[in-house]
Amino acid sequence: PGHSFGQMSSPSLAFVRTIAVLGDLHGQWTHDDVAFFNDSDFDLVVFVGDLGSGTRRDGLGVIRSLARLEKPTLVLPGNN
């Protein structure tokens, strides 16, 4: 399963060859996106801000969805 805040151990960078960097989702993240990245060859997925569209509910929905990622994931919340 994916990692949530505070549960991700520091991954060894020795295994990281390909990194997906995503930002400005603004709530546009679906179960299809989760499936895509779970099936991808990326070694690490990094999210860099603006995950939700401005509402608490939307932001929490995106974060819950990100928790279903099976890849090591780093989330940097905030406004990039």
Side-chain angles (χ1 to χ4, degrees), residues 4-33:
S4 61
F5 297 115
Q7 292 182 346
M8 182 176 168
S9 61
S10 298
S12 167
L13 294 180
F15 79 94
V16 176
R17 292 179 309 241
T18 58
I19 301 172
V21 179
L22 299 96
D24 293 319
L25 297 180
H26 296 287
Q28 301 300 308
W29 180 261
T30 68
H31 299 291
D32 290 335
D33 297 311

Side-chain angles (χ1 to χ4, degrees), residues 24-46:
D24 293 319
L25 297 180
H26 296 287
Q28 301 300 308
W29 180 261
T30 68
H31 299 291
D32 290 335
D33 297 311
V34 172
F36 171 82
F37 283 100
N38 283 343
D39 291 338
S40 74
D41 291 329
F42 290 109
D43 298 313
L44 178 67
V45 183
V46 179

